[in-house]
Amino acid sequence: MGKPTENQAYDIIDVCLLAGKIMLRSGAETYRVEDTMMRIASAYGIEDSHSYVTPTGIIFSIGSKTPTQLVRIVDRSTDLQKVAKVNAISRQISNGDLSIAEAFTELRIIERDPHAYPIWVQIAAASIASGCFLIMFKGGWSDFLPALVCGGIGLATLIYIHQLVEIKFFAEFIAALVIGLLAVLMVSIEVGTELDKIIIGSVMPLVPGLLITNAVRDLMAGHLVSGISKGAEAFLTAFAIGAGVAVVFSFY
């Protein structure tokens, strides 16, 4: 593609920012977002693009004559299917298979798509994972069902509190508190036997594993601001989970 016109330049910026916004909100690494945006711009004939991405915002520019634009990122989740779809569109753009308008339309469809899995499937998966984590941590099969119940209810609590309260880390604290209380109840009525194994298995779906991985990968890629901020967020999330369990143990 040749050098774009001024109107096309603004459309290219919109495509790049939308792609970056979807990826960052879906759990992509900072360096991957920057690389994808610059590759899209390059495929449309802009070689001097610049992007700066943090976990809470994207700054993008394609030269001194075009205004720099900023997109604020408020909420973030984990939806790697959307990240893969945006990567696929980026490859199509690089191959010259999508025009600017077509790419923007495809990205808007991805942005409006609901989460890959309904909530009940997420809760069921968390329940099964909790039971499997219990076995992995050398718990007994007699505690598989208690861990399954506690893990499912814990994730359901997390999702419900997230919808009610926008205070970060509060939902993780309440979910861990509920898991601890349920585990104590299970042991008290002799449905479960090993309290520590039940709690450990049940809180594993709440642990910010992807966030920790992305923090390390961003640090290794030289994105110190993003890496440190993601690491701090992961630490605070883990602290909230631990505090919720600690409150239960303090009264048990």
mmCIF file of all heavy atoms in Angstrom, residues 142-188:
data_model
loop_
_atom_site.group_PDB
_atom_site.id
_atom_site.type_symbol
_atom_site.label_atom_id
_atom_site.label_comp_id
_atom_site.label_asym_id
_atom_site.label_seq_id
_atom_site.Cartn_x
_atom_site.Cartn_y
_atom_site.Cartn_z
ATOM 1 N N SER A 142 -11.407 -38.000 49.323
ATOM 2 C CA SER A 142 -12.576 -37.689 50.151
ATOM 3 C C SER A 142 -12.835 -36.182 50.219
ATOM 4 O O SER A 142 -13.949 -35.750 50.534
ATOM 5 C CB SER A 142 -12.378 -38.231 51.568
ATOM 6 O OG SER A 142 -11.211 -37.668 52.158
ATOM 7 N N ASP A 143 -11.808 -35.389 49.926
ATOM 8 C CA ASP A 143 -11.954 -33.928 49.938
ATOM 9 C C ASP A 143 -12.187 -33.348 48.545
ATOM 10 O O ASP A 143 -12.260 -32.128 48.394
ATOM 11 C CB ASP A 143 -10.703 -33.283 50.543
ATOM 12 C CG ASP A 143 -10.563 -33.569 52.024
ATOM 13 O OD1 ASP A 143 -11.599 -33.685 52.701
ATOM 14 O OD2 ASP A 143 -9.411 -33.681 52.503
ATOM 15 N N PHE A 144 -12.297 -34.208 47.536
ATOM 16 C CA PHE A 144 -12.485 -33.714 46.169
ATOM 17 C C PHE A 144 -13.798 -32.954 46.036
ATOM 18 O O PHE A 144 -13.841 -31.840 45.488
ATOM 19 C CB PHE A 144 -12.453 -34.891 45.188
ATOM 20 C CG PHE A 144 -12.566 -34.474 43.744
ATOM 21 C CD1 PHE A 144 -11.427 -34.116 43.027
ATOM 22 C CD2 PHE A 144 -13.797 -34.433 43.102
ATOM 23 C CE1 PHE A 144 -11.517 -33.732 41.692
ATOM 24 C CE2 PHE A 144 -13.892 -34.043 41.781
ATOM 25 C CZ PHE A 144 -12.758 -33.696 41.066
ATOM 26 N N LEU A 145 -14.883 -33.527 46.541
ATOM 27 C CA LEU A 145 -16.195 -32.879 46.440
ATOM 28 C C LEU A 145 -16.255 -31.571 47.222
ATOM 29 O O LEU A 145 -16.760 -30.559 46.694
ATOM 30 C CB LEU A 145 -17.295 -33.835 46.901
ATOM 31 C CG LEU A 145 -18.740 -33.310 46.794
ATOM 32 C CD1 LEU A 145 -19.068 -32.971 45.347
ATOM 33 C CD2 LEU A 145 -19.731 -34.334 47.339
ATOM 34 N N PRO A 146 -15.756 -31.498 48.473
ATOM 35 C CA PRO A 146 -15.747 -30.210 49.169
ATOM 36 C C PRO A 146 -14.961 -29.125 48.425
ATOM 37 O O PRO A 146 -15.397 -27.976 48.362
ATOM 38 C CB PRO A 146 -15.094 -30.544 50.513
ATOM 39 C CG PRO A 146 -15.402 -31.973 50.731
ATOM 40 C CD PRO A 146 -15.353 -32.599 49.366
ATOM 41 N N ALA A 147 -13.801 -29.502 47.870
ATOM 42 C CA ALA A 147 -13.027 -28.521 47.112
ATOM 43 C C ALA A 147 -13.777 -28.082 45.862
ATOM 44 O O ALA A 147 -13.738 -26.899 45.480
ATOM 45 C CB ALA A 147 -11.666 -29.110 46.731
ATOM 46 N N LEU A 148 -14.452 -29.017 45.215
ATOM 47 C CA LEU A 148 -15.233 -28.702 44.025
ATOM 48 C C LEU A 148 -16.322 -27.679 44.346
ATOM 49 O O LEU A 148 -16.505 -26.697 43.631
ATOM 50 C CB LEU A 148 -15.833 -29.984 43.455
ATOM 51 C CG LEU A 148 -16.555 -29.905 42.109
ATOM 52 C CD1 LEU A 148 -16.316 -31.190 41.321
ATOM 53 C CD2 LEU A 148 -18.057 -29.720 42.306
ATOM 54 N N VAL A 149 -17.024 -27.895 45.446
ATOM 55 C CA VAL A 149 -18.112 -26.980 45.845
ATOM 56 C C VAL A 149 -17.551 -25.619 46.245
ATOM 57 O O VAL A 149 -18.051 -24.569 45.800
ATOM 58 C CB VAL A 149 -18.925 -27.596 47.002
ATOM 59 C CG1 VAL A 149 -19.935 -26.581 47.533
ATOM 60 C CG2 VAL A 149 -19.627 -28.862 46.546
ATOM 61 N N CYS A 150 -16.512 -25.625 47.071
ATOM 62 C CA CYS A 150 -15.936 -24.365 47.545
ATOM 63 C C CYS A 150 -15.354 -23.549 46.390
ATOM 64 O O CYS A 150 -15.532 -22.321 46.330
ATOM 65 C CB CYS A 150 -14.856 -24.639 48.582
ATOM 66 S SG CYS A 150 -15.454 -25.329 50.136
ATOM 67 N N GLY A 151 -14.662 -24.209 45.471
ATOM 68 C CA GLY A 151 -14.074 -23.497 44.340
ATOM 69 C C GLY A 151 -15.125 -22.878 43.430
ATOM 70 O O GLY A 151 -14.971 -21.737 42.987
ATOM 71 N N GLY A 152 -16.206 -23.616 43.164
ATOM 72 C CA GLY A 152 -17.265 -23.081 42.312
ATOM 73 C C GLY A 152 -17.979 -21.907 42.947
ATOM 74 O O GLY A 152 -18.216 -20.874 42.307
ATOM 75 N N ILE A 153 -18.325 -22.044 44.218
ATOM 76 C CA ILE A 153 -19.006 -20.947 44.917
ATOM 77 C C ILE A 153 -18.079 -19.744 45.064
ATOM 78 O O ILE A 153 -18.516 -18.591 44.968
ATOM 79 C CB ILE A 153 -19.514 -21.422 46.288
ATOM 80 C CG1 ILE A 153 -20.605 -22.483 46.100
ATOM 81 C CG2 ILE A 153 -20.055 -20.250 47.111
ATOM 82 C CD1 ILE A 153 -21.136 -23.062 47.387
ATOM 83 N N GLY A 154 -16.789 -20.009 45.264
ATOM 84 C CA GLY A 154 -15.831 -18.911 45.380
ATOM 85 C C GLY A 154 -15.749 -18.081 44.110
ATOM 86 O O GLY A 154 -15.773 -16.848 44.163
ATOM 87 N N LEU A 155 -15.665 -18.731 42.941
ATOM 88 C CA LEU A 155 -15.613 -17.982 41.685
ATOM 89 C C LEU A 155 -16.930 -17.274 41.414
ATOM 90 O O LEU A 155 -16.950 -16.142 40.924
ATOM 91 C CB LEU A 155 -15.262 -18.916 40.522
ATOM 92 C CG LEU A 155 -15.070 -18.187 39.180
ATOM 93 C CD1 LEU A 155 -13.820 -17.319 39.225
ATOM 94 C CD2 LEU A 155 -14.983 -19.161 38.020
ATOM 95 N N ALA A 156 -18.058 -17.915 41.733
ATOM 96 C CA ALA A 156 -19.360 -17.267 41.565
ATOM 97 C C ALA A 156 -19.443 -16.004 42.419
ATOM 98 O O ALA A 156 -19.963 -14.969 41.971
ATOM 99 C CB ALA A 156 -20.477 -18.239 41.934
ATOM 100 N N THR A 157 -18.911 -16.080 43.635
ATOM 101 C CA THR A 157 -18.880 -14.902 44.505
ATOM 102 C C THR A 157 -18.019 -13.810 43.906
ATOM 103 O O THR A 157 -18.383 -12.623 43.923
ATOM 104 C CB THR A 157 -18.336 -15.285 45.902
ATOM 105 O OG1 THR A 157 -19.146 -16.315 46.451
ATOM 106 C CG2 THR A 157 -18.330 -14.078 46.824
ATOM 107 N N LEU A 158 -16.860 -14.192 43.369
ATOM 108 C CA LEU A 158 -15.964 -13.220 42.742
ATOM 109 C C LEU A 158 -16.658 -12.482 41.598
ATOM 110 O O LEU A 158 -16.603 -11.244 41.516
ATOM 111 C CB LEU A 158 -14.723 -13.945 42.226
ATOM 112 C CG LEU A 158 -13.697 -13.082 41.470
ATOM 113 C CD1 LEU A 158 -12.942 -12.188 42.447
ATOM 114 C CD2 LEU A 158 -12.720 -13.953 40.698
ATOM 115 N N ILE A 159 -17.320 -13.225 40.726
ATOM 116 C CA ILE A 159 -17.999 -12.611 39.581
ATOM 117 C C ILE A 159 -19.132 -11.705 40.048
ATOM 118 O O ILE A 159 -19.305 -10.579 39.551
ATOM 119 C CB ILE A 159 -18.537 -13.709 38.640
ATOM 120 C CG1 ILE A 159 -17.374 -14.492 38.028
ATOM 121 C CG2 ILE A 159 -19.395 -13.102 37.538
ATOM 122 C CD1 ILE A 159 -17.799 -15.715 37.229
ATOM 123 N N TYR A 160 -19.894 -12.156 41.041
ATOM 124 C CA TYR A 160 -21.033 -11.379 41.535
ATOM 125 C C TYR A 160 -20.576 -10.086 42.200
ATOM 126 O O TYR A 160 -21.144 -9.010 41.946
ATOM 127 C CB TYR A 160 -21.838 -12.226 42.520
ATOM 128 C CG TYR A 160 -23.057 -11.521 43.089
ATOM 129 C CD1 TYR A 160 -24.165 -11.254 42.285
ATOM 130 C CD2 TYR A 160 -23.093 -11.117 44.422
ATOM 131 C CE1 TYR A 160 -25.269 -10.602 42.797
ATOM 132 C CE2 TYR A 160 -24.189 -10.473 44.945
ATOM 133 C CZ TYR A 160 -25.278 -10.212 44.128
ATOM 134 O OH TYR A 160 -26.368 -9.557 44.637
ATOM 135 N N ILE A 161 -19.540 -10.156 43.035
ATOM 136 C CA ILE A 161 -19.055 -8.962 43.731
ATOM 137 C C ILE A 161 -18.430 -7.979 42.746
ATOM 138 O O ILE A 161 -18.578 -6.756 42.890
ATOM 139 C CB ILE A 161 -18.029 -9.345 44.828
ATOM 140 C CG1 ILE A 161 -18.694 -10.229 45.884
ATOM 141 C CG2 ILE A 161 -17.447 -8.101 45.477
ATOM 142 C CD1 ILE A 161 -19.817 -9.560 46.632
ATOM 143 N N HIS A 162 -17.754 -8.496 41.713
ATOM 144 C CA HIS A 162 -17.185 -7.625 40.682
ATOM 145 C C HIS A 162 -18.272 -6.802 40.008
ATOM 146 O O HIS A 162 -18.043 -5.641 39.631
ATOM 147 C CB HIS A 162 -16.447 -8.456 39.632
ATOM 148 C CG HIS A 162 -14.970 -8.549 39.873
ATOM 149 N ND1 HIS A 162 -14.188 -7.447 40.128
ATOM 150 C CD2 HIS A 162 -14.133 -9.612 39.911
ATOM 151 C CE1 HIS A 162 -12.934 -7.824 40.306
ATOM 152 N NE2 HIS A 162 -12.868 -9.136 40.187
ATOM 153 N N GLN A 163 -19.448 -7.379 39.819
ATOM 154 C CA GLN A 163 -20.547 -6.675 39.172
ATOM 155 C C GLN A 163 -21.181 -5.634 40.087
ATOM 156 O O GLN A 163 -21.730 -4.636 39.620
ATOM 157 C CB GLN A 163 -21.607 -7.674 38.707
ATOM 158 C CG GLN A 163 -21.126 -8.602 37.602
ATOM 159 C CD GLN A 163 -22.145 -9.677 37.254
ATOM 160 O OE1 GLN A 163 -23.119 -9.872 37.968
ATOM 161 N NE2 GLN A 163 -21.915 -10.385 36.162
ATOM 162 N N LEU A 164 -21.095 -5.859 41.402
ATOM 163 C CA LEU A 164 -21.723 -4.939 42.365
ATOM 164 C C LEU A 164 -20.802 -3.802 42.788
ATOM 165 O O LEU A 164 -21.233 -2.654 42.904
ATOM 166 C CB LEU A 164 -22.163 -5.716 43.615
ATOM 167 C CG LEU A 164 -23.339 -6.684 43.463
ATOM 168 C CD1 LEU A 164 -23.636 -7.340 44.804
ATOM 169 C CD2 LEU A 164 -24.581 -5.964 42.947
ATOM 170 N N VAL A 165 -19.547 -4.133 43.038
ATOM 171 C CA VAL A 165 -18.605 -3.171 43.600
ATOM 172 C C VAL A 165 -17.423 -3.003 42.657
ATOM 173 O O VAL A 165 -16.866 -3.987 42.176
ATOM 174 C CB VAL A 165 -18.090 -3.642 44.989
ATOM 175 C CG1 VAL A 165 -17.161 -2.601 45.595
ATOM 176 C CG2 VAL A 165 -19.263 -3.924 45.920
ATOM 177 N N GLU A 166 -17.039 -1.764 42.383
ATOM 178 C CA GLU A 166 -15.938 -1.486 41.481
ATOM 179 C C GLU A 166 -14.608 -1.322 42.218
ATOM 180 O O GLU A 166 -13.596 -1.015 41.603
ATOM 181 C CB GLU A 166 -16.230 -0.223 40.666
ATOM 182 C CG GLU A 166 -17.421 -0.376 39.711
ATOM 183 C CD GLU A 166 -17.626 0.849 38.851
ATOM 184 O OE1 GLU A 166 -16.851 1.826 39.027
ATOM 185 O OE2 GLU A 166 -18.536 0.851 38.008
ATOM 186 N N ILE A 167 -14.614 -1.512 43.532
ATOM 187 C CA ILE A 167 -13.386 -1.392 44.307
ATOM 188 C C ILE A 167 -12.494 -2.590 43.994
ATOM 189 O O ILE A 167 -12.885 -3.737 44.219
ATOM 190 C CB ILE A 167 -13.672 -1.325 45.821
ATOM 191 C CG1 ILE A 167 -14.570 -0.142 46.134
ATOM 192 C CG2 ILE A 167 -12.373 -1.231 46.606
ATOM 193 C CD1 ILE A 167 -14.995 -0.063 47.581
ATOM 194 N N LYS A 168 -11.295 -2.307 43.488
ATOM 195 C CA LYS A 168 -10.398 -3.386 43.085
ATOM 196 C C LYS A 168 -9.912 -4.147 44.309
ATOM 197 O O LYS A 168 -9.705 -3.574 45.375
ATOM 198 C CB LYS A 168 -9.218 -2.814 42.312
ATOM 199 C CG LYS A 168 -8.579 -3.805 41.375
ATOM 200 C CD LYS A 168 -7.746 -3.086 40.352
ATOM 201 C CE LYS A 168 -7.149 -4.049 39.350
ATOM 202 N NZ LYS A 168 -8.156 -4.783 38.589
ATOM 203 N N PHE A 169 -9.754 -5.451 44.139
ATOM 204 C CA PHE A 169 -9.263 -6.387 45.147
ATOM 205 C C PHE A 169 -10.305 -6.732 46.222
ATOM 206 O O PHE A 169 -10.089 -7.659 46.987
ATOM 207 C CB PHE A 169 -7.978 -5.887 45.830
ATOM 208 C CG PHE A 169 -6.946 -5.382 44.871
ATOM 209 C CD1 PHE A 169 -6.537 -4.057 44.902
ATOM 210 C CD2 PHE A 169 -6.387 -6.226 43.925
ATOM 211 C CE1 PHE A 169 -5.594 -3.595 44.006
ATOM 212 C CE2 PHE A 169 -5.437 -5.775 43.031
ATOM 213 C CZ PHE A 169 -5.043 -4.446 43.074
ATOM 214 N N PHE A 170 -11.401 -5.990 46.299
ATOM 215 C CA PHE A 170 -12.425 -6.292 47.295
ATOM 216 C C PHE A 170 -13.123 -7.602 46.980
ATOM 217 O O PHE A 170 -13.407 -8.403 47.874
ATOM 218 C CB PHE A 170 -13.448 -5.149 47.369
ATOM 219 C CG PHE A 170 -14.518 -5.351 48.403
ATOM 220 C CD1 PHE A 170 -14.229 -5.210 49.754
ATOM 221 C CD2 PHE A 170 -15.814 -5.687 48.031
ATOM 222 C CE1 PHE A 170 -15.211 -5.392 50.716
ATOM 223 C CE2 PHE A 170 -16.801 -5.871 48.981
ATOM 224 C CZ PHE A 170 -16.496 -5.727 50.328
ATOM 225 N N ALA A 171 -13.392 -7.840 45.682
ATOM 226 C CA ALA A 171 -14.067 -9.076 45.285
ATOM 227 C C ALA A 171 -13.204 -10.289 45.591
ATOM 228 O O ALA A 171 -13.719 -11.332 46.043
ATOM 229 C CB ALA A 171 -14.412 -9.029 43.793
ATOM 230 N N GLU A 172 -11.896 -10.183 45.355
ATOM 231 C CA GLU A 172 -10.999 -11.305 45.661
ATOM 232 C C GLU A 172 -10.982 -11.609 47.161
ATOM 233 O O GLU A 172 -10.959 -12.766 47.573
ATOM 234 C CB GLU A 172 -9.577 -10.994 45.177
ATOM 235 C CG GLU A 172 -9.389 -11.081 43.677
ATOM 236 C CD GLU A 172 -9.842 -9.831 42.950
ATOM 237 O OE1 GLU A 172 -10.347 -8.892 43.627
ATOM 238 O OE2 GLU A 172 -9.699 -9.775 41.711
ATOM 239 N N PHE A 173 -10.996 -10.545 47.974
ATOM 240 C CA PHE A 173 -11.000 -10.720 49.429
ATOM 241 C C PHE A 173 -12.271 -11.433 49.889
ATOM 242 O O PHE A 173 -12.221 -12.399 50.667
ATOM 243 C CB PHE A 173 -10.874 -9.357 50.111
ATOM 244 C CG PHE A 173 -11.057 -9.398 51.603
ATOM 245 C CD1 PHE A 173 -10.016 -9.802 52.428
ATOM 246 C CD2 PHE A 173 -12.270 -9.046 52.176
ATOM 247 C CE1 PHE A 173 -10.184 -9.840 53.812
ATOM 248 C CE2 PHE A 173 -12.449 -9.088 53.545
ATOM 249 C CZ PHE A 173 -11.397 -9.492 54.368
ATOM 250 N N ILE A 174 -13.421 -10.987 49.399
ATOM 251 C CA ILE A 174 -14.695 -11.592 49.799
ATOM 252 C C ILE A 174 -14.783 -13.038 49.302
ATOM 253 O O ILE A 174 -15.256 -13.925 50.025
ATOM 254 C CB ILE A 174 -15.881 -10.772 49.260
ATOM 255 C CG1 ILE A 174 -15.880 -9.374 49.884
ATOM 256 C CG2 ILE A 174 -17.195 -11.466 49.559
ATOM 257 C CD1 ILE A 174 -16.032 -9.353 51.391
ATOM 258 N N ALA A 175 -14.322 -13.282 48.061
ATOM 259 C CA ALA A 175 -14.371 -14.647 47.524
ATOM 260 C C ALA A 175 -13.508 -15.596 48.355
ATOM 261 O O ALA A 175 -13.921 -16.719 48.674
ATOM 262 C CB ALA A 175 -13.912 -14.647 46.066
ATOM 263 N N ALA A 176 -12.311 -15.149 48.744
ATOM 264 C CA ALA A 176 -11.444 -15.979 49.577
ATOM 265 C C ALA A 176 -12.048 -16.187 50.958
ATOM 266 O O ALA A 176 -11.947 -17.278 51.545
ATOM 267 C CB ALA A 176 -10.062 -15.329 49.699
ATOM 268 N N LEU A 177 -12.709 -15.157 51.470
ATOM 269 C CA LEU A 177 -13.376 -15.273 52.772
ATOM 270 C C LEU A 177 -14.492 -16.311 52.714
ATOM 271 O O LEU A 177 -14.627 -17.152 53.617
ATOM 272 C CB LEU A 177 -13.944 -13.908 53.182
ATOM 273 C CG LEU A 177 -14.647 -13.824 54.541
ATOM 274 C CD1 LEU A 177 -13.650 -14.033 55.669
ATOM 275 C CD2 LEU A 177 -15.345 -12.470 54.691
ATOM 276 N N VAL A 178 -15.277 -16.280 51.643
ATOM 277 C CA VAL A 178 -16.372 -17.244 51.476
ATOM 278 C C VAL A 178 -15.808 -18.664 51.347
ATOM 279 O O VAL A 178 -16.340 -19.613 51.939
ATOM 280 C CB VAL A 178 -17.226 -16.876 50.242
ATOM 281 C CG1 VAL A 178 -18.184 -18.005 49.882
ATOM 282 C CG2 VAL A 178 -17.998 -15.591 50.503
ATOM 283 N N ILE A 179 -14.734 -18.814 50.580
ATOM 284 C CA ILE A 179 -14.114 -20.133 50.434
ATOM 285 C C ILE A 179 -13.640 -20.650 51.785
ATOM 286 O O ILE A 179 -13.855 -21.830 52.130
ATOM 287 C CB ILE A 179 -12.939 -20.063 49.437
ATOM 288 C CG1 ILE A 179 -13.474 -19.901 48.003
ATOM 289 C CG2 ILE A 179 -12.068 -21.319 49.518
ATOM 290 C CD1 ILE A 179 -12.390 -19.668 46.975
ATOM 291 N N GLY A 180 -13.006 -19.804 52.571
ATOM 292 C CA GLY A 180 -12.543 -20.220 53.889
ATOM 293 C C GLY A 180 -13.676 -20.641 54.806
ATOM 294 O O GLY A 180 -13.584 -21.672 55.495
ATOM 295 N N LEU A 181 -14.749 -19.861 54.800
ATOM 296 C CA LEU A 181 -15.898 -20.193 55.646
ATOM 297 C C LEU A 181 -16.542 -21.509 55.216
ATOM 298 O O LEU A 181 -16.915 -22.339 56.065
ATOM 299 C CB LEU A 181 -16.928 -19.056 55.585
ATOM 300 C CG LEU A 181 -16.512 -17.732 56.249
ATOM 301 C CD1 LEU A 181 -17.548 -16.658 55.978
ATOM 302 C CD2 LEU A 181 -16.336 -17.923 57.753
ATOM 303 N N LEU A 182 -16.683 -21.698 53.913
ATOM 304 C CA LEU A 182 -17.271 -22.945 53.415
ATOM 305 C C LEU A 182 -16.388 -24.146 53.748
ATOM 306 O O LEU A 182 -16.886 -25.215 54.110
ATOM 307 C CB LEU A 182 -17.479 -22.856 51.901
ATOM 308 C CG LEU A 182 -18.663 -22.008 51.417
ATOM 309 C CD1 LEU A 182 -18.636 -21.885 49.895
ATOM 310 C CD2 LEU A 182 -19.980 -22.609 51.871
ATOM 311 N N ALA A 183 -15.070 -23.966 53.622
ATOM 312 C CA ALA A 183 -14.154 -25.067 53.936
ATOM 313 C C ALA A 183 -14.242 -25.441 55.411
ATOM 314 O O ALA A 183 -14.258 -26.625 55.762
ATOM 315 C CB ALA A 183 -12.725 -24.666 53.564
ATOM 316 N N VAL A 184 -14.314 -24.431 56.278
ATOM 317 C CA VAL A 184 -14.469 -24.699 57.718
ATOM 318 C C VAL A 184 -15.777 -25.424 57.986
ATOM 319 O O VAL A 184 -15.846 -26.367 58.792
ATOM 320 C CB VAL A 184 -14.390 -23.380 58.512
ATOM 321 C CG1 VAL A 184 -14.804 -23.605 59.961
ATOM 322 C CG2 VAL A 184 -12.988 -22.803 58.450
ATOM 323 N N LEU A 185 -16.843 -24.991 57.287
ATOM 324 C CA LEU A 185 -18.146 -25.644 57.456
ATOM 325 C C LEU A 185 -18.083 -27.099 57.016
ATOM 326 O O LEU A 185 -18.620 -27.988 57.695
ATOM 327 C CB LEU A 185 -19.200 -24.883 56.651
ATOM 328 C CG LEU A 185 -20.617 -25.479 56.665
ATOM 329 C CD1 LEU A 185 -21.181 -25.494 58.082
ATOM 330 C CD2 LEU A 185 -21.533 -24.705 55.721
ATOM 331 N N MET A 186 -17.423 -27.357 55.877
ATOM 332 C CA MET A 186 -17.305 -28.729 55.371
ATOM 333 C C MET A 186 -16.582 -29.628 56.366
ATOM 334 O O MET A 186 -16.980 -30.771 56.617
ATOM 335 C CB MET A 186 -16.551 -28.726 54.032
ATOM 336 C CG MET A 186 -17.287 -28.053 52.895
ATOM 337 S SD MET A 186 -18.654 -29.035 52.262
ATOM 338 C CE MET A 186 -19.136 -28.034 50.840
ATOM 339 N N VAL A 187 -15.506 -29.107 56.947
ATOM 340 C CA VAL A 187 -14.752 -29.901 57.913
ATOM 341 C C VAL A 187 -15.552 -30.081 59.207
ATOM 342 O O VAL A 187 -15.521 -31.159 59.829
ATOM 343 C CB VAL A 187 -13.384 -29.240 58.190
ATOM 344 C CG1 VAL A 187 -12.642 -29.970 59.315
ATOM 345 C CG2 VAL A 187 -12.529 -29.228 56.932
ATOM 346 N N SER A 188 -16.286 -29.050 59.600
ATOM 347 C CA SER A 188 -17.057 -29.115 60.848
ATOM 348 C C SER A 188 -18.162 -30.163 60.788
ATOM 349 O O SER A 188 -18.441 -30.841 61.787
ATOM 350 C CB SER A 188 -17.661 -27.740 61.166
ATOM 351 O OG SER A 188 -16.646 -26.769 61.332
#
